[in-house]
Amino acid sequence: MTDTVAALAALAADHDRSGAFPAESLRLAHEAGLLTATIGKRYGGQGAGVEETARILHRLGRGDPSVALIAAMTLTSHARQAAEPHWPEELYARVAKESFVRPVLVNHARVEPELGSPARGGLPATRARRTAGGWAISGTKRFVTGAEGLDWFLVWATTDEAEPRVGTFLVPGGSPGIEIAGNWDQLGLRASGSHDVTFHDVEVPYEQVIGLGPHGPAAEQDNRAGAALHLPLAALYLGVARAAQAFFHSFAHTRVPANLGRPVARTERFRRTAGEIEVLLAAAEQLVFDGAAKLDDGDPSYTPEQALGARVLADRHGVRAVELAVRLLGNPGLARGNPLERHFRDIQCAPVHAPQADISLLAIGTTALDASAPLDAPKALDL
């Protein structure tokens, strides 16, 4: 794992500058067994739980968070299948078998130009039209991480039936009619390839759909039920913050101003900031990893609100820790020639992932207020 992370870190700067899809880095992650860790034991995998997934992404985040985010989407897809099988059995068994041979990448395609993130409610404009042999999928999705290298797009769409249904359609990446815009040009995670993707009557067999159900609120995203993804994502960005901390420490030990005559690491100012950074990150990691362990243990006292809260605090702590390092270093911290500037850009992506902080805090606050309300008081609307 250590060698793999170091190899990813060595490639990360070039990928960041070019925005190129990090195929070589994903190959290295695959060879280390990191892309298949969550495949269930019934399919020949390790069946890694939430805590192990979080620790894998924490380490990958230290090396290259773009690679880590692409890996996260595949890992959590396998983890969902291991916990509650929902793919067509024969198809998933084939996908799992192939995944041990080469990097097989899977991701959901849910966000849309008009709708935005489904975390805020609403139903997809992407349409699944019945055909003689299955379904034809048409519509545009945004921010599809790893789009250029995906073997499977899990496309959230509404059927065109008289009584529409909503489901996730399993679309092979090489299908005719898939158009990848190549428009991902962001401040951070530049190599994650989170492009817009348009599906032009892309055909899939009838049985390649999961969760197909009635058109209505039940089909929308349950933000409280995603702890198995929220905590590993938080860990990924804490890995970015740890990489920034490592550079900060290295700079402090090697920077010797002529008017000081000793490394700045020996000054009170740097030691105090180093202490604050460590407290922020250690506290966030404890929240994330302890929560993940409780999820694995099935601890009934660990609530969805606690997982959402851990994610909010971890994102805030990670962003703040890197900001402190950059501010103290000044111009060197913002120079494109060192990795701290890249870590600063990458960590800004942490709070962007759904559900964003305002949605999480609304759910947490609603539960807290309902729990403290008088018995005869009306409950708030479910979120």
Side-chain angles (χ1 to χ4, degrees):
M1 185 69 166
T2 300
D3 290 344
T4 301
V5 171
L8 298 186
L11 295 169
D14 285 343
H15 288 147
D16 175 74
R17 280 191 291 271
S18 68
F21 184 76
E24 173 65 11
S25 295
L26 287 160
R27 183 187 65 78
L28 294 172
H30 165 74
E31 291 176 353
L34 303 179
L35 299 182
T36 55
T38 55
I39 292 178
K41 292 180 180 179
R42 65 179 292 193
Y43 301 106
Q46 302 173 35
V50 181
E51 183 183 8
E52 187 173 350
T53 303
R55 293 191 182 279
I56 288 171
L57 294 177
H58 185 264
R59 296 297 298 278
L60 287 177
R62 292 188 69 151
D64 187 338
S66 289
V67 173
L69 188 63
I70 296 170
M73 301 301 114
T74 295
L75 287 170
T76 54
S77 294
H78 287 310
R80 290 190 191 103
Q81 176 69 15
E84 188 175 342
H86 53 284
W87 284 55
E89 179 63 25
E90 185 178 342
L91 174 61
Y92 183 77
R94 190 174 81 237
V95 170
K97 183 177 181 181
E98 189 175 359
S99 296
F100 293 115
V101 177
R102 66 175 184 85
V104 174
L105 303 178
V106 183
N107 194 10
H108 286 263
R110 292 177 63 84
V111 180
E112 295 187 342
E114 293 80 17
L115 177 66
S117 169
R120 297 182 182 274
L123 292 161
T126 301
R127 289 290 178 264
R129 177 175 55 85
R130 282 295 279 121
T131 65
W135 304 96
I137 312 299
S138 295
T140 297
K141 299 295 186 179
R142 303 202 69 194
F143 312 130
V144 184
T145 293
E148 296 158 281
L150 290 183
D151 294 272
W152 291 93
F153 292 87
L154 278 54
V155 182
W156 190 48
T158 304
T159 68
D160 69 344
E161 299 164 310
E163 295 186 8
R165 295 178 290 168
V166 176
T168 299
F169 295 79
L170 307 175
V171 179
S175 302
I178 297 177
E179 178 187 354
I180 298 173
N183 60 339
W184 179 252
D185 188 16
Q186 305 293 101
L187 179 73
L189 267 65
R190 293 180 48 78
S192 68
S194 303
H195 304 294
D196 290 2
V197 179
T198 299
F199 300 87
H200 301 282
D201 279 330
V202 179
E203 296 198 16
V204 297
Y206 178 74
E207 66 276 8
Q208 285 184 199
V209 57
I210 55 181
L212 195 61
H215 187 294
E220 297 182 9
Q221 180 169 310
D222 183 355
N223 294 317
R224 297 174 67 257
L229 174 60
H230 303 330
L231 296 178
L233 271 182
L236 187 163
Y237 287 101
L238 289 173
V240 177
R242 284 295 188 186
Q245 180 193 43
F247 179 84
F248 173 78
H249 285 179
S250 176
F251 180 93
H253 287 300
T254 57
R255 171 63 174 154
V256 182
N259 63 341
L260 185 62
R262 65 183 189 277
V264 292
R266 295 172 60 184
T267 66
E268 183 176 314
R269 185 183 180 204
F270 268 78
R271 288 172 180 263
R272 184 183 296 111
T273 300
E276 186 170 357
I277 290 172
E278 178 60 27
V279 167
L280 287 169
L281 298 185
E285 287 167 351
Q286 183 173 358
L287 277 174
V288 168
F289 294 131
D290 285 0
K294 289 178 180 178
L295 283 176
D296 286 336
D297 293 341
D299 186 340
S301 69
Y302 192 72
T303 67
E305 288 77 16
Q306 286 177 293
L308 287 171
R311 160 88 192 282
V312 170
L313 286 175
D315 289 349
R316 289 179 177 178
H317 283 203
V319 170
R320 177 60 177 159
V322 180
E323 181 183 74
L324 285 169
V326 170
R327 285 191 177 186
L328 189 55
L329 267 59
N331 274 330
L334 292 172
R336 302 271 321 252
N338 71 61
L340 183 57
E341 180 268 348
R342 171 164 45 88
H343 300 324
F344 177 75
R345 288 187 286 106
D346 286 340
I347 200 75
Q348 306 309 314
C349 298
V352 171
H353 295 286
Q356 294 171 349
D358 64 316
I359 295 292
S360 296
L361 293 173
L362 179 60
I364 294 166
T366 298
T367 299
L369 286 171
D370 282 351
S372 64
L375 292 177
D376 59 348
K379 294 281 186 178
L381 293 176
D382 290 336
L383 301 175

